[in-house]
Amino acid sequence: MELRHSVALITGASKGLGLEIARLYAEHGARLVIAARHPGPLELAAEELRRKTEVVSLAVDVSQDAERLVEAGLERFGRIDVLVNNASELGPSPMPELESLDWQDLERILRVNVTAPLHLAQLVLPQMRTHESGVIINVTSDAGVEAYAGWGGYGASKAALEHLSRVLAEELAGSGIRAYIVDPGDMNTEMHRLAEPGVDLSHLPGPEVSAPAFVRLVEAETAPSGRFKAQEMAATPAGGG
């Protein structure tokens, strides 16, 4: 699939990894539907991206306004070819251990990190099935695989998202729709700083290092599904082993 012929919906797109993905998709000619919770940063991002492509931007909570977001994209462009579920919820900052994690905070984490990605996929899948083509990318974390103290709520949500993604991929087999899980790796982002306040993250790469993997998965990857590490992909030439 070529991005220049596509429409991509990206959540959490006002900053960090989401914005870097949107920038690259815009450079490759994709039309964009972008969402984030805070209108100020989102509008700044949309203004920048509109210099390169057509953009629909909505300041929404993806756990509550998924229908409005997808409807806006379909009304403007008539299709959504790529869904990047990037928006994530950490919970309280600094993140508490499970023993003291409030159940309502956990519920919120799961709504944003698990339920919303599935709901958005459910909303875009009918027209992807009609076209027998589409790409769904769910952004995960190594916290969904490894056990890190303090990361229990967030990690559990990413573990759930990964399994949900694998089942979805099985159910989409033969449809022409690809479903990927992407671990962007440790990055120096605002979200990571909130997760570990006071920790020096200056040695970590910025999200621009991980973003090219999201272009490669759409345009060059042929496997119908899989779990990918974005920073490892960045270090491996396309077509390399």
Side-chain angles (χ1 to χ4, degrees):
M1 180 187 295
E2 292 187 21
L3 281 166
R4 68 187 178 94
H5 296 310
S6 302
V7 177
L9 190 163
I10 306 169
T11 65
S14 64
K15 53 193 172 185
L17 179 62
L19 179 55
E20 294 298 336
I21 295 168
R23 285 169 171 158
L24 286 181
Y25 280 14
E27 288 174 6
H28 282 74
R31 292 169 291 171
L32 301 176
V33 183
I34 61 172
R37 273 176 281 186
H38 302 296
L42 180 66
E43 188 50 41
L44 288 174
E47 285 181 18
E48 173 193 334
L49 295 166
R50 286 190 181 108
R51 299 186 192 117
K52 296 181 179 179
T53 191
E54 294 180 71
V55 179
V56 171
S57 65
L58 273 80
V60 296
D61 181 334
V62 293
S63 70
Q64 298 182 26
D65 299 307
E67 289 92 347
R68 187 155 66 92
L69 177 60
V70 172
E71 285 170 4
L74 292 176
E75 182 176 338
R76 174 71 175 273
F77 299 123
R79 61 191 295 154
I80 293 171
D81 304 287
V82 181
L83 169 63
V84 180
N85 280 311
N86 171 68
S88 288
E89 174 65 51
L90 276 174
S93 175
M95 296 189 297
E97 294 188 351
L98 286 174
E99 185 176 1
S100 55
L101 176 61
D102 189 282
W103 69 268
Q104 292 172 317
D105 288 328
L106 177 59
E107 189 176 64
R108 165 71 184 167
I109 293 168
L110 293 171
R111 280 205 312 271
V112 175
N113 297 357
V114 184
T115 307
L118 174 60
H119 192 192
L120 284 163
Q122 291 169 334
L123 291 168
V124 301
L125 274 170
Q127 48 89 45
M128 285 184 176
R129 284 192 179 277
T130 297
H131 296 119
E132 298 183 342
S133 176
V135 179
I136 297 171
I137 304 176
N138 290 329
V139 179
T140 186
S141 165
D142 67 335
V145 178
E146 304 294 338
Y148 300 126
W151 289 77
Y154 179 79
S157 74
K158 291 301 184 179
L161 179 63
E162 291 207 17
H163 192 66
L164 179 151
S165 302
R166 287 190 292 269
V167 173
L168 180 63
E170 286 294 317
E171 294 172 348
L172 292 173
S175 68
I177 303 165
R178 293 175 280 149
Y180 301 130
I181 308 162
V182 180
D183 177 357
D186 282 342
M187 301 176 291
N188 186 359
T189 62
E190 179 181 338
M191 185 174 183
H192 198 161
R193 291 190 291 274
L194 287 171
E196 299 183 295
V199 175
D200 182 11
L201 303 177
S202 61
H203 62 289
L204 296 178
E208 69 279 358
V209 173
S210 298
F214 292 78
V215 173
R216 188 161 152 187
L217 284 172
V218 173
E219 294 200 327
E221 184 56 52
T222 57
S225 62
R227 187 185 194 278
F228 298 85
K229 294 184 177 182
Q231 292 180 18
E232 290 185 3
M233 291 179 69
T236 305

